[in-house]
Amino acid sequence: MNAFLYVLVVLIWGTTWIALKWQLGPVPIALSIAYRFGLAALLLFAWLLWRRQLVVPRGRARLWVLAQGLCLFCLNFVCFLNASRSVASGLVAVVFSSAALWNALLARLVHGRAVAPQVLGGGALGLMGLVLLFWPEIASQHAGTSTLAGLAWALGGTLCFSTGNLLSAALQAEGLKPVQTNAWGMAVGTAILLGYALLAGQPLAFDPGPRYVGALLYLAIPGSVIGFTAYLTLVGRLGPERAAYSTVLFPVVALNVSAWAEGYRWTAPALVGLVLVMAGNVLVFRRRRAALPPASPTAPSPRPRGLA
């Protein structure tokens, strides 16, 4: 079951980046995200009511749901959409794959889990890989500043995503299912984004064009209802660190889609950078072999089988 969830998340989230890019246009970013998660929340609430599984979070779980909605269904996508303004969607997905490292580091800060040497080594490899992937854009006189800004937005969105992972793990430890917390979290994110749009005086614009509507439906149903439920189920089963391992394969899918849809061109440094990013993520989750305990000097040596 875990393998199926991994494949499902990789295929869905590896292709949502181009849909995010297609939402950029006359509709303000905050409203595009609000439309996505508002629709997804309505579908999840309808499902929960039909299954008679709707639960209202109480106590500290209510605060965690509010924080999850802010981090996972609001701020991170504001960051990702702003990043997509200046860099290819596939490159944003590569930055997002560093969530594996951020999850491990945040688990250290929040839960006090020791950071293994391979996590630090994987982080160093990933950083070198990101530099190589972005080097053609950084070196360009025309896009250097905007590319650096896009990279900063993408890193900020990834950090928000990782924070939401830890909050989801805490909520599942309280006995709440991802589909339940996602419904409330998406509703919270939608309310925050709509409130911001109204305060900022943004008109309630909507693009009826087929590309925008198609991207919205894909992001709301497969990308949000299915993708987030599958991914956060992995978070509950495996922990936020190991669940984020699925992000290792996102760049492979996303960059190939970007090459087809956006004209992204592979270069030798980019290929090397992609390999380093993926190797770094794999290294982060490589399990260390447990050392064998020293033999007791007083313990008798075991006799070979078959001998008296």
Side-chain angles (χ1 to χ4, degrees):
M1 184 62 177
N2 288 344
F4 171 75
L5 292 174
Y6 265 115
V7 172
L8 189 64
V9 170
V10 168
L11 291 179
I12 290 177
W13 279 2
T15 52
T16 53
W17 301 99
I18 189 63
L20 283 173
K21 187 93 171 185
W22 287 345
Q23 284 206 305
L24 295 175
V27 181
I29 285 177
L31 288 177
S32 287
I33 304 170
Y35 296 152
R36 168 186 179 174
F37 288 120
L39 176 57
L42 288 174
L43 293 174
L44 286 176
F45 278 126
W47 168 263
L48 290 170
L49 286 171
W50 180 61
R51 300 283 295 178
R52 298 183 180 179
Q53 294 179 351
L54 183 62
V55 175
V56 178
R58 301 184 183 279
R60 62 181 181 180
R62 182 174 298 176
L63 295 176
W64 290 347
V65 165
L66 291 174
Q68 184 194 38
L70 179 64
C71 293
L72 207 55
F73 306 117
C74 179
L75 291 181
N76 63 327
F77 282 98
V78 171
C79 292
F80 289 141
L81 275 168
N82 276 289
S84 297
R85 287 187 181 276
S86 54
V87 297
S89 62
L91 291 177
V92 180
V94 173
V95 178
F96 178 70
S97 74
S98 67
L101 174 63
W102 290 113
N103 281 8
L105 293 177
L106 286 176
R108 165 63 177 171
L109 293 175
V110 176
H111 301 297
R113 300 177 189 172
V115 179
Q118 67 263 29
V119 172
L120 298 177
L125 283 177
L127 180 60
M128 289 188 293
L130 287 176
V131 171
L132 286 173
L133 272 162
F134 279 88
W135 185 250
E137 285 80 7
I138 293 173
S140 171
Q141 294 181 354
H142 301 287
T145 303
S146 62
T147 299
L148 289 175
L151 176 60
W153 277 112
L155 285 172
T158 304
L159 184 58
C160 289
F161 173 82
S162 294
T163 303
N165 281 199
L166 294 184
L167 290 165
S168 178
L171 286 164
Q172 291 182 63
E174 293 286 316
L176 294 171
K177 297 179 180 179
V179 67
Q180 296 168 331
T181 57
N182 284 356
W184 291 108
M186 289 176 185
V188 167
T190 301
I192 293 173
L193 291 164
L194 288 176
Y196 166 77
L198 291 174
L199 290 175
Q202 296 178 351
L204 293 178
F206 185 80
D207 184 354
R211 190 162 90 162
Y212 183 89
V213 173
L216 174 62
L217 292 175
Y218 186 75
L219 289 169
I221 301 173
S224 300
V225 174
I226 300 174
F228 271 102
T229 301
Y231 177 78
L232 294 178
T233 299
L234 285 174
V235 169
R237 292 185 175 193
L238 306 177
E241 302 97 321
R242 293 181 63 197
Y245 184 77
S246 61
T247 65
V248 173
L249 297 178
F250 288 173
V252 179
V253 178
L255 282 174
N256 280 288
V257 172
S258 184
W260 167 74
E262 299 176 282
Y264 174 78
R265 294 184 178 181
W266 286 98
T267 63
L271 286 171
V272 174
L274 179 62
V275 171
L276 288 178
V277 169
M278 296 182 66
N281 279 282
V282 171
L283 185 60
V284 165
F285 294 103
R286 183 180 179 185
R287 292 187 177 184
R288 300 174 63 186
R289 293 183 179 180
L292 294 176
S296 173
T298 59
S301 300
R303 293 176 178 267
R305 290 186 178 181
L307 296 180

